[in-house]
Amino acid sequence: SQKAEHNLPEASQMKKGLKAALREALEAMVATRIQEGDRLESDLVARTNSLSGFVKELDKASEGISVVWRDKLLDRLRQAELEIDLEDERVLREVALFAERCDVSEELTRLRSHGELMNQIFGEDGPVGRKLEFALQEISRELNTVTSKSPSTEVKRLVIDARAECEKMREQALNVE
């Protein structure tokens, strides 16, 4: 056992080699993390663009929904042979309230704003993971509100697709520092 110890180099002789090996390993790790970060950023940017596309489609799909649903409501009331005075302030108020409940324009505006925030975050240096998580949480919240407010099946279908994209982004964001 003493022979084996005599064959080992002195600690001072090993120091230089160990430092070089450690430096090389750290540089490789940093390079790998940078590459992974670049791939994550590319993926998240593409998915953010995809979400922006969904918001544009939602904007088109929700155009005029309140008018369509107001007309359907009035038709149903007529089919039920109910007396409807379209000049009655109470009827007009109820129809207006229903139309307002269907209006998702504010949510779509906030979704566009959150998309812009995502793009700003991608341009920042330093840790951005928590900021991404927050922005994606807000996007998810707005999408939930859109689907709960809109009576349109087309809008609901688009929201389901957008939420799926948002969930994929949230999973990716967990890997971002």
Side-chain angles (χ1 to χ4, degrees), residues 15-33:
K15 188 176 180 181
K16 187 176 180 182
L18 285 173
K19 275 186 173 180
L22 181 61
R23 183 177 296 115
E24 187 178 318
L26 288 173
E27 286 171 359
M29 182 189 78
V30 168
T32 301
R33 295 292 303 262

Side-chain angles (χ1 to χ4, degrees), residues 143-160:
L143 289 170
N144 287 340
T145 303
V146 168
T147 197
S148 69
K149 285 179 79 173
S150 178
S152 164
T153 54
E154 173 66 8
V155 167
K156 289 181 189 307
R157 184 192 64 75
L158 287 166
V159 167
I160 288 170

